[in-house]
Amino acid sequence: MAKYLILIYGDEQRWDAETEQERRAKEEGHRAFHAAAGTGVLHGQELEGSATATTLRGSGGGRLVTTDGPFLESKEALGGFYVVEAADLDAAISLAALLPELASGHGGVEIRPIVDHG
């Protein structure tokens, strides 16, 4: 079994504007995702908004520069993630396809294999 990081992206303004009913429907979608993935979900969390992010960069000469905000400027923000175990990429794609953000019209999901150094 391989491990995959599933990154959930979307429009933060639209997330912030969700009604309580929309929020509950999205949470139900994540419960369905967990049920389908079963023990394949190793970890997952919703993230605070990108305004709470801190970026750390090396500026050369061993000096570090800390800035507020996300690493990249983009229209879509990283809103959460899952670490899953799946037989292969096709299985990981099938699981990720269940995420409710894909039905929102403003989100996307990135799937990345996790390197096993061990």
Side-chain angles (χ1 to χ4, degrees):
M1 295 286 265
K3 292 180 184 169
Y4 296 90
L5 176 64
I6 299 174
L7 301 167
I8 301 167
Y9 291 92
D11 183 329
E12 279 186 303
Q13 290 178 339
R14 289 183 63 179
W15 283 334
D16 291 342
E18 287 177 338
T19 66
E20 184 60 32
Q21 181 180 358
E22 290 169 326
R23 181 84 175 159
R24 278 191 301 246
K26 187 166 70 173
E27 289 169 359
E28 181 58 37
H30 282 276
R31 282 191 287 279
F33 171 82
H34 272 266
T39 60
V41 174
L42 304 178
H43 189 68
Q45 292 293 151
E46 181 178 359
L47 301 175
E48 292 288 344
S50 64
T52 66
T54 301
T55 300
L56 185 64
R57 295 179 189 247
S59 65
R63 200 169 64 96
L64 299 176
V65 177
T66 303
T67 56
D68 293 335
F71 184 71
L72 297 174
E73 295 294 328
S74 72
K75 182 177 167 186
E76 294 177 332
L78 179 61
F81 68 93
Y82 285 103
V83 176
V84 300
E85 201 165 46
D88 54 28
L89 179 59
D90 289 336
I93 290 170
S94 293
L95 283 175
L98 301 173
L99 291 168
E101 285 78 7
L102 293 173
S104 71
H106 68 88
V109 171
E110 179 181 347
I111 303 166
R112 304 268 306 265
I114 295 175
V115 176
D116 181 6
H117 288 286

